[in-house]
Amino acid sequence: MATTQVVEDWSLEREAYTGVLRYYELAKKQEWQVRDLPWGEVPPIPETTKGTPQKRARRLDVWRSVVTQQLQADELACEMSSQLLNIAPDPEAKLYYSTMVQDESRHTEAWLKLIDEAGGTAERDPYLDELAHMTLEADTLEEKVFQMQVFYERLIISRFRLIARASRGTVLEDLCNRLTTDDGIHHGAGMAYEKVLLRNADKKTKTALVDAANRLLPTFVEHALWRPKERAFIGETMRSRDIAKLKEDIEIGVRLAQSLGLDVSDVQLPFP
Ligand SMILES: [Fe+2]
Ligand SMILES: [Fe+2]
């Protein structure tokens, strides 16, 4: 009787992972190569040939800065996804993370090639490094999956859409469209896995997850409102828009947490 019980529990348990496996299949089907991008056919970033030399240089700096931020984000995504591949105990999740590590590496390769063609890197966002560090150092797998896949990878999708819209007819636009799809899969897989993880988690783990998210929010605000010197002039004029977007992003995070059955009544929204 006890044996039957264990076997039944095991198969029930594995059934819960079909969502994760579906994303594994999808990720393999969607895989692309850096050489598939239209290198040499269209400009790497929007042309900066109009206006005074000063204006052109300033526009070029803005695009270099945009590409640098995304390169930095994908470099950190490589570290976070390889950590998830290493520590996830479930074979289904390991299969899926093997594709995510490849995706993030390919994204980094593409950004490296693009930043080279755009004239080299600009300033790094120190708060993004700090956020990634917090996720890498997080205590539990549940926290890591929540921060990386449920929250960051959901938010990055709207960034890619914005950049693509502003860079029509360039390699940058093509790359952003591909990353919209890839990060859609990363987010979906994370939601599917987090649901399974939280179903088996005790109250202490869930409370710790919300506490960790609370501790992360002030750094997230700094990151969202940070502007490198190349884009400082835009930062000032668009600050109110940035704050509106930031509120929207945090509200999305709270809704996602709620949809995973987490108690978000203790979340303190750090709006300036
Ligand atoms: Fe990525
Ligand atoms: Fe990703």
Side-chain angles (χ1 to χ4, degrees), residues 252-268:
I252 289 172
V254 171
R255 275 204 303 276
L256 285 166
Q258 249 166 346
S259 77
L260 288 164
L262 293 163
D263 177 8
V264 291
S265 53
D266 279 345
V267 174
Q268 290 127 33

Side-chain angles (χ1 to χ4, degrees), residues 74 77 103-104 107 153 179 183 186:
D74 266 313
D103 279 358
E104 305 301 8
H107 298 171
E153 298 204 279
L179 299 202
D183 278 313
H186 299 177

Side-chain angles (χ1 to χ4, degrees), residues 79-89 93-94 97 100-101 141 144-145 148-149 153 193:
E79 286 186 53
M80 291 188 276
S81 57
S82 42
Q83 189 189 51
L84 291 169
L85 170 63
N86 280 319
I87 67 170
K94 276 200 191 293
Y97 284 129
M100 196 161 127
V101 170
L141 179 61
K144 289 172 197 284
V145 173
M148 166 72 181
Q149 289 173 274
E153 298 204 279
Y193 191 31

